[in-house]
Amino acid sequence: MSKEKFDYFIKGEKGKYEVVIGLEVHAQVLSKSKLFSGSSTKFGADPNNQVSLIDSAFPGMLPVINEECVKQAVRTGLGLNAKINNYSVFDRKNYFYADLPQGYQISQYKNPIVGEGKVLLDMPYGSKEIGIERLHLEQDAGKSIHDMDPSNTYVDLNRSGIALMEIVSKPDLRSPDEVNAYIKKLRSIMRYLGTCDGNMQEGSLRADVNVSVRKEGDKNFGTRCEIKNVNSIKFMQMAIEYEAARQVELIENGKVIDQETRLFDTKKNETRSMRSKEDAHDYRYFPDPDLLPLKLEQKLIDDLKKTLPELPDKKKERFIKEYGLNAYEANVLVSEKEISDYYEEVAKLSDKKLAATWMMGDLFAMLNDKGLDISKSPISAKHFAELVQSIKSGEISGRIAKEVFEIMLETGENPKKIIESKGLKQQSDPKELEKMINEILTKNKAKVDQYKSGKEKLFGFFVGQVMKSSGGKANPQLTNEILKKLLKG
Amino acid sequence: MSDITNQSLNEIIENVKTKKVSSTDLTKAYIKNIESAKKLNAFVTTTFDQALDKAKQFDNKPNFDQLLPGIPLAVKDLFCTENTKTTAGSNILNNFIPSYESTVTKNLWNNGSFLLGKLNCDEFAMGSSNETSHYGNVINPVGDQLVPGGSSGGSSSALAADLTPATIGTDTGGSIRQPASFTGTVGLKPTYGLCSRWGIVAFASSLDQAGPMTKTIKDCAIMLESMSGFDEKDSTSINKKKEQYSKNLKDNIKGLKIGIPKEYRVDNMPKEVDELWEKGKKILKDLGAQLINISLPHTKYALPTYYIVAPAEASSNLARYDGVRYGYRSKQGKDLIEMYEKTRSEGFGDEVKRRILIGTYVLSSGYYDAYYLKAQKVRQLIKKDFDDSFTKIDAILTPSTPSSAFKIGEKTNDPVSMYLNDIFTVPVNLAGLPALSMPAGVDKQGYPLGLQLIGKALDEQKILNIGYAFEKNCGFKNEIKKWWS
């Protein structure tokens, strides 16, 4: 892989500017019930059908911590190589909004459940470590729906009380590409761990993006703006680009950047001021007196650590060592747990390197085309391995393999059967091939003469004729050899 | 039976068990009393038809093995009761009918009792005279100009006037013990976490605790046994084995060490309160207890600490009353913010607003450290005072209140003098300890006064035993003329 140089800078009239980005990712905890109530967390239910008395904050209702959510946060912390805090505290973040029934969000402020950690990114210019500041548990709010009625707002509390992990990065990111890699890596780690499904369309993963700029080489950070609640990587990247350019323009014009909270308007592709620092909420955080501090036994943490699955970084190392893949291949194949599982099953039964090439080529193209996850692949790993093995053994050529692949897709048949029943087996008998090639050369006497007088490009023509006449089954390597030999003579 | 309603709960239970009175007749007797006592304004809601149905069900199929067989009970209107309006004394919950039953009341019903009605209280339990209720002030049966104490003023009034055989209240800073003291009745604030808070309209979560209000110590033991117990729905509930307080009640207190804290004296405290305290000490000493002088040096900071912690929690707990999902909503207001403002302005009374403002202030950035955080530290010191003392003693004896019942309207324009009424009761809430107020005598006007027994955490049995022995030897008799009927 070529080592490119990092070169994401905003060019202004007066020089180059570096963009500094920190993310607060809100990841929905994968759990059956909410953080402090027994309500279901399933996506897509009718409005207000998954709401308990606790979620809707009826008088006298009390929160009780869902242990599974705590374990999920610990697992995620361990996956981020982070410090797990044996003592953490739930605080109330007080503010009024129609979709916040309690009038406060239960969150963790001074004492989060997870402390500092790190995430490793593979960038074209090498690997880069992004620091994690903290991870804490908090409740999600409900949803206000403003466009159902001209004069009323509707509120759906299905999300109210669902557990979120807020994962705060250090301001270590420097470009939209790094943000892309970071979100994908986080998502991958959490999906491996089974702690967040990472489904951005359903809102399981959102982020607040902190952006500032500074002149190349400056040590101090510039004034940052926080872009709230961006729900796709593409929008995050667009928002960063817009925001960085806006800040550079302000600086170049001698203006000051106000520290403020901004919104990204996806239709106009711009960020807009939501509220300034002066108007910032005073959330009046204080420890929630309805909940005792969360004390975790070291044994629980150790036990969870023992049951963690192999995570992408480790798996990548192993794939390189065990399967002889290059870093790029390994990266792609470990990006999703399901992909890596599929690959390992194929690699067990066939050539490891060829399996990787064919998976990343035809299989991924097909899945992409059909919009399918690998877990829904119409071609099983076992059949795919047979196909790879047929190529490796020379039974079929790559071209025929593509044909077989299409038939497998249509019929679900195993490749051996398809090759046999359709007579697609590669012609690899040198005598028979030589006989066929001789016939072709005789038929094309004029072209042979031209070739011999120096028009060597015609070689391809002859190969094409052989393939045509063999129905594509002629062993390409052998065909080449024989053609070369006969054309010399 | 001519007048069963002036008997103690324990006596009534005996009469029901021996079939001297049916649950139906008992219920009818209380209904009659309640109907003739409207002047006291103790009830916000009555549930007579439902109570008579339950009484009939009991009589048809009695179970005399229960702790409260066929006993009608009125409860403070802070406990959510399924399908029965629950107001917390506030306009903002004027139309609120819960679909659920608080754990504490459910425990009572599971022990054989049933609901007679909901008792008036200070709005969201904020008050010491029951004058902050949206449903009007309650009158103390002791005298037609007197407050019944608060916030459980409807409870103390109804109990002293024989409108319920026993009742329950909640105590955040004295709201059970002070009204008990003002009406010559017994009130117990249990250890924090002994009774579940689930389904009780919250005032200050780290201080709120439900407890019994009764005519006698034995009744108090029966009620506590019936209402307490671990509840997994309350994260602050204590997981321990249930105790049989009434069965284990003993009047032998020989050798027990009773602490007498020198700090429980205030300026201008009536002489009678001091004399009563002396009388209490003597009675306990005569019963073989040993009196030990102790010091609880941080006592003087308890009231200011309380008036930071409690409003801080209240300001957050009461944020949910916003008119969006239930309760009162103002018809005014052109947008969300205005709807909030009008709803809460019209829905809450002055005292509640005052405490929300104080609470919001002490939690605000820039003030948090100076007020809330410091108050939490002082709270730890107050708790430590008690912990240190309890290494040497079994219980502490103090007056319950610095005065007897005061006149309606006497303190309404001076919140601080009103707050001072809780000066002997709040330290206990800050420390999470159990404390009992028991009637001990009367002042020169003939108004009842109580003494307070403070115990170690979960030492309810011990303070009940001391109270039981005291009661037998004190000779106090609550003489209330039924002037209202």
Side-chain angles (χ1 to χ4, degrees):
Chain A
M1 196 190 305
S2 67
K3 286 269 177 202
E4 292 166 35
K5 209 171 152 287
F6 174 84
D7 68 344
Y8 188 82
F9 292 101
I10 307 284
K11 284 176 195 73
E13 304 268 310
K14 296 165 189 164
K16 279 161 86 183
Y17 293 82
E18 185 184 36
V19 185
V20 177
I21 307 153
L23 292 186
E24 292 164 26
V25 171
H26 297 262
Q28 182 178 329
V29 174
L30 212 52
S31 66
K32 284 203 184 73
S33 46
K34 296 183 179 179
L35 185 53
F36 297 110
S37 81
S39 309
S40 166
T41 56
K42 216 163 169 196
F43 180 78
D46 285 341
N48 296 313
N49 264 275
Q50 292 173 172
V51 185
S52 74
L53 295 164
I54 297 169
D55 309 323
S56 47
F58 271 66
M61 290 302 103
L62 299 171
V64 176
I65 185 77
N66 176 344
E67 277 177 42
E68 184 51 27
C69 294
V70 172
K71 286 184 186 165
Q72 291 288 58
V74 172
R75 283 187 192 109
T76 308
L78 292 169
L80 299 174
N81 303 301
K83 182 179 179 300
I84 309 300
N85 293 322
N86 299 72
Y87 176 92
S88 67
V89 175
F90 286 103
D91 296 281
R92 292 186 183 176
K93 177 179 178 179
N94 295 282
Y95 66 96
F96 281 94
Y97 203 62
D99 57 25
L100 187 75
Q102 293 168 142
Y104 54 84
Q105 177 196 33
I106 305 179
S107 180
Q108 297 190 299
Y109 185 50
K110 281 187 186 151
N111 297 288
I113 184 164
V114 176
E116 290 190 331
K118 55 179 186 280
V119 168
L120 217 56
L121 305 186
D122 276 293
M123 302 308 294
Y125 35 87
S127 75
K128 176 166 177 176
E129 192 179 293
I130 304 299
I132 299 292
E133 180 71 38
R134 58 185 276 166
L135 175 156
H136 69 251
L137 278 167
E138 64 183 26
Q139 295 177 302
D140 203 351
K143 202 165 83 186
S144 291
I145 305 156
H146 301 292
D147 54 4
M148 261 173 75
D149 184 287
S151 55
N152 291 297
T153 293
Y154 285 79
V155 175
D156 177 6
L157 295 179
N158 280 354
R159 292 194 68 90
S160 169
I162 281 184
L164 301 178
M165 295 178 280
E166 181 171 326
I167 304 167
V168 183
S169 83
K170 303 211 170 194
D172 289 348
L173 297 155
R174 293 290 178 270
S175 72
D177 279 348
E178 289 186 0
V179 167
N180 175 48
Y182 173 74
I183 295 278
K184 283 188 173 153
K185 190 61 180 282
L186 263 190
R187 184 176 178 274
S188 165
I189 291 170
M190 290 190 291
R191 284 175 58 90
Y192 264 77
L193 292 165
T195 59
C196 172
D197 66 18
N199 193 327
M200 297 188 98
Q201 285 87 43
E202 292 175 7
S204 301
L205 204 65
R206 295 139 28 209
D208 299 338
V209 186
N210 286 290
V211 180
S212 67
V213 298
R214 61 180 172 191
K215 271 245 175 82
E216 193 187 7
D218 264 7
K219 288 275 181 294
N220 296 328
F221 290 127
T223 305
R224 72 188 147 87
C225 291
E226 181 181 11
I227 310 158
K228 276 273 173 208
N229 210 18
V230 193
N231 60 10
S232 86
I233 295 180
K234 201 180 112 211
F235 289 151
M236 284 176 211
Q237 293 181 308
M238 285 159 71
I240 290 163
E241 277 170 26
Y242 176 88
E243 182 58 23
R246 185 187 73 89
Q247 292 183 13
V248 166
E249 201 184 309
L250 282 174
I251 293 170
E252 298 246 306
N253 290 324
K255 295 195 176 123
V256 180
I257 295 160
D258 294 322
Q259 187 177 332
E260 59 183 0
T261 303
R262 300 178 69 86
L263 270 182
F264 182 62
D265 184 329
T266 56
K267 291 193 186 89
K268 293 186 181 155
N269 183 22
E270 62 181 30
T271 65
R272 269 203 311 272
S273 181
M274 206 171 131
R275 55 175 181 259
S276 69
K277 195 184 175 187
E278 288 73 39
D279 301 333
H281 288 299
D282 181 352
Y283 290 119
R284 290 171 281 122
Y285 282 99
F286 76 108
D288 191 330
D290 286 331
L291 292 160
L292 301 170
L294 186 61
K295 289 175 185 159
L296 297 179
E297 302 267 336
Q298 192 54 41
K299 188 175 176 310
L300 174 90
I301 299 168
D302 295 343
D303 287 351
L304 287 172
K305 200 169 193 169
K306 276 180 213 147
T307 59
L308 284 194
E310 183 184 38
L311 291 174
D313 287 342
K314 274 267 157 57
K315 189 167 275 184
K316 182 185 157 192
E317 268 174 46
R318 181 166 64 82
F319 275 20
I320 292 171
K321 232 169 88 185
E322 214 172 297
Y323 300 127
L325 303 181
N326 63 38
Y328 173 73
E329 288 168 333
N331 240 347
V332 173
L333 292 175
V334 302
S335 65
E336 294 270 349
K337 187 172 176 297
E338 289 74 15
I339 292 174
S340 70
D341 288 347
Y342 190 100
Y343 171 71
E344 291 210 87
E345 214 181 320
V346 175
K348 246 190 291 173
L349 303 166
S350 65
D351 183 78
K352 295 156 181 58
K353 190 82 180 168
L354 202 60
T357 312
W358 276 81
M359 256 185 84
M360 290 165 67
D362 292 65
L363 186 73
F364 282 6
M366 179 274 291
L367 292 174
N368 211 5
D369 203 42
K370 294 192 180 293
L372 290 176
D373 284 338
I374 197 152
S375 57
K376 302 262 162 53
S377 169
I379 295 175
S380 71
K382 192 164 162 275
H383 284 177
F384 192 74
E386 281 178 21
L387 181 69
V388 171
Q389 221 27 37
S390 302
I391 304 164
K392 180 70 187 174
S393 68
E395 199 181 340
I396 54 170
S397 68
R399 228 196 91 204
I400 293 293
K402 283 181 194 290
E403 208 175 302
V404 175
F405 184 84
E406 288 303 321
I407 299 167
M408 285 166 77
L409 203 55
E410 270 164 40
T411 62
E413 291 265 20
N414 87 46
K416 282 243 170 353
K417 210 163 164 193
I418 295 168
I419 293 165
E420 237 159 72
S421 69
K422 302 244 166 187
L424 293 173
K425 210 164 177 178
Q426 193 158 253
Q427 219 166 307
S428 298
D429 183 342
K431 273 188 194 149
E432 267 181 49
L433 262 182
E434 196 167 327
K435 194 177 149 215
M436 185 173 77
I437 291 170
N438 259 323
E439 277 167 25
I440 287 166
L441 295 181
T442 316
K443 243 192 262 169
N444 294 282
K445 187 91 182 39
K447 292 252 165 47
V448 173
D449 291 342
Q450 281 176 0
Y451 177 87
K452 286 186 175 169
S453 64
K455 224 175 168 190
E456 289 189 358
K457 271 189 186 161
L458 278 168
F459 191 80
F461 164 80
F462 296 119
V463 173
Q465 289 302 305
V466 176
M467 286 302 163
K468 195 174 160 195
S469 139
S470 70
K473 289 178 285 182
N475 181 322
Q477 216 178 332
L478 220 52
T479 303
N480 273 356
E481 282 170 25
I482 296 169
L483 258 179
K484 269 184 194 153
K485 189 182 85 187
L486 295 180
L487 283 169
K488 251 184 207 164
Chain B
M1 197 149 301
S2 58
D3 198 2
I4 191 163
T5 61
N6 65 17
Q7 296 182 353
S8 72
L9 173 67
N10 185 46
E11 288 165 332
I12 292 168
I13 291 169
E14 283 310 309
N15 282 317
V16 171
K17 281 187 176 175
T18 53
K19 300 195 182 173
K20 293 203 179 85
V21 66
S22 69
S23 175
T24 304
D25 287 344
L26 181 67
T27 305
K28 281 180 179 163
Y30 281 108
I31 292 173
K32 194 170 151 258
N33 284 6
I34 294 164
E35 283 183 327
S36 66
K38 291 202 169 124
K39 274 183 205 156
L40 299 178
N41 196 31
F43 281 77
V44 175
T45 305
T46 54
T47 55
F48 295 157
D49 291 344
Q50 186 194 315
L52 286 167
D53 278 351
K54 295 274 182 184
K56 205 168 137 195
Q57 279 174 35
F58 179 85
D59 289 333
N60 287 339
K61 220 178 147 192
N63 176 358
F64 296 117
D65 296 332
Q66 292 169 299
L67 275 165
L68 300 167
I71 304 296
L73 290 176
V75 304
K76 187 178 186 178
D77 206 13
L78 210 66
F79 295 89
C80 288
T81 43
E82 193 175 347
N83 299 326
T84 298
K85 193 170 81 166
T86 299
T87 69
S90 181
N91 185 33
I92 214 157
L93 288 175
N94 192 16
N95 56 3
F96 179 60
I97 299 173
S99 60
Y100 49 93
E101 187 77 36
S102 83
T103 300
V104 159
T105 46
K106 191 179 257 175
N107 289 346
L108 293 178
W109 316 148
N110 286 342
N111 280 305
S113 65
F114 48 83
L115 183 67
L116 193 52
K118 302 296 289 290
L119 297 167
N120 206 338
C121 59
D122 278 305
E123 186 177 6
F124 285 100
M126 298 177 190
S128 306
S129 62
N130 215 117
E131 291 170 291
T132 73
S133 169
H134 174 69
Y135 304 93
N137 59 285
V138 175
I139 293 166
N140 190 337
V142 168
D144 65 356
Q145 299 297 312
L146 296 179
V147 303
S151 66
S152 312
S155 299
S156 64
S157 175
L159 177 67
D162 297 336
L163 310 184
T164 181
T167 183
I168 53 173
T170 59
D171 190 318
T172 305
S175 283
I176 286 175
R177 289 159 289 156
Q178 183 251 23
S181 178
F182 280 13
T183 53
T185 56
V186 175
L188 173 71
K189 184 210 90 83
T191 306
Y192 183 77
L194 191 70
C195 294
S196 168
R197 291 184 297 115
W198 195 89
I200 303 173
V201 176
F203 163 14
S205 311
S206 75
L207 301 159
D208 293 346
Q209 187 59 203
M213 300 172 76
T214 56
K215 291 178 179 169
T216 68
I217 298 286
K218 175 105 187 185
D219 292 0
C220 188
I222 296 169
M223 287 294 284
L224 182 64
E225 203 172 317
S226 308
M227 70 195 286
S228 60
F230 174 64
D231 181 6
E232 60 182 21
K233 290 188 286 188
D234 175 358
S235 308
T236 60
S237 174
I238 298 171
N239 193 353
K240 68 180 273 285
K241 217 179 107 227
K242 263 190 88 88
E243 285 188 53
Q244 296 180 297
Y245 299 108
S246 53
K247 203 179 134 197
N248 296 330
L249 203 58
K250 284 195 303 254
D251 59 6
N252 181 0
I253 59 165
K254 210 167 264 173
L256 287 186
K257 297 188 177 91
I258 309 293
I260 309 295
K262 64 174 184 203
E263 289 82 5
Y264 278 61
R265 265 193 183 86
V266 289
D267 295 343
N268 305 323
M269 191 160 86
K271 215 171 71 202
E272 294 113 308
V273 175
D274 234 345
E275 285 167 8
L276 188 80
W277 197 6
E278 289 306 320
K279 176 186 160 190
K281 290 182 212 171
K282 184 168 186 301
I283 290 172
L284 295 183
K285 202 173 169 194
D286 290 347
L287 287 165
Q290 189 187 341
L291 301 180
I292 295 175
N293 288 323
I294 61 166
S295 172
L296 301 164
H298 297 92
T299 300
K300 60 173 176 284
Y301 304 115
L303 205 61
T305 300
Y306 174 84
Y307 275 99
I308 289 168
V309 174
E313 292 180 10
S315 71
S316 177
N317 280 338
L318 269 57
R320 65 187 57 198
Y321 307 105
D322 57 6
V324 175
R325 297 165 315 286
Y326 52 79
Y328 175 80
R329 181 198 286 199
S330 173
K331 300 208 169 36
Q332 316 289 313
K334 59 180 191 308
D335 57 22
L336 183 67
I337 298 294
E338 235 185 84
M339 191 279 278
Y340 283 155
E341 287 170 355
K342 303 252 188 224
T343 294
R344 289 167 67 83
S345 297
E346 294 159 21
F348 291 135
D350 287 349
E351 183 60 30
V352 171
K353 284 179 198 160
R354 179 179 296 127
R355 299 204 197 185
I356 290 174
L357 285 174
I358 295 171
T360 305
Y361 180 81
V362 299
L363 289 175
S364 295
S365 90
Y367 299 99
Y368 180 89
D369 289 359
Y371 293 103
Y372 184 79
L373 206 61
K374 186 168 264 174
Q376 288 296 356
K377 286 178 186 161
V378 177
R379 184 176 182 177
Q380 289 310 310
L381 294 175
I382 290 167
K383 190 172 178 297
K384 195 173 169 294
D385 281 354
F386 281 110
D387 290 346
D388 291 348
S389 288
F390 276 120
T391 58
K392 304 182 289 256
I393 53 169
D394 295 291
I396 295 170
L397 182 75
T398 77
S400 298
T401 53
S403 74
S404 63
F406 47 87
K407 291 214 159 47
I408 293 164
E410 190 182 319
K411 294 180 197 273
T412 38
N413 292 323
D414 185 357
V416 174
S417 92
M418 186 74 90
Y419 297 168
L420 279 167
N421 229 273
D422 299 331
I423 196 150
F424 298 151
T425 47
V426 292
V428 163
N429 298 77
L430 291 169
L433 303 174
L436 178 75
S437 176
M438 54 194 182
V442 292
D443 67 2
K444 60 172 182 267
Q445 306 163 92
Y447 302 163
L449 282 167
L451 287 175
Q452 174 175 241
L453 281 166
I454 304 168
K456 257 186 275 201
L458 298 174
D459 231 359
E460 275 79 3
Q461 186 72 59
K462 197 178 275 170
I463 55 173
L464 284 167
N465 288 349
I466 299 168
Y468 194 45
F470 178 87
E471 182 183 63
K472 284 187 174 175
N473 292 279
C474 166
F476 174 82
K477 179 98 177 67
N478 207 4
E479 313 270 7
I480 291 176
K481 290 188 200 79
K482 300 202 171 172
W483 51 266
W484 56 86
S485 57

